[in-house]
Amino acid sequence: DYEALPMEKLVEELETLAVERAVIRIISWRGIEEDGQPVPFTVENATRVLKDNPWIREQVLENSDDLTGFFR
């Protein structure tokens, strides 16, 4: 029940849900690097990268919501 959560916990819960929504939309990636080394796609890596980089998460969600790119 979200009404019973303190605001900080609610924000954390919403962020977790946004990360999960983004991760399930990714099947692979390229060009993701840390310290100059490629980061292989795994659910764990995707979760960490999307949590640490909200702008990437927002791009994934925005672009995957636009179905026109999937039908050509």
Side-chain angles (χ1 to χ4, degrees), residues 26-63:
I26 302 171
I27 60 170
S28 68
W29 64 27
R30 63 175 184 248
I32 304 294
E33 295 184 356
E34 291 177 335
D35 300 322
Q37 298 297 315
V39 177
F41 176 77
T42 65
V43 170
E44 293 80 16
N45 284 343
T47 299
R48 181 177 45 75
V49 167
L50 296 178
K51 185 172 179 154
D52 292 346
N53 300 279
W55 66 273
I56 297 174
R57 179 180 67 233
E58 292 304 316
Q59 289 292 313
V60 168
L61 292 171
E62 284 178 26
N63 287 293

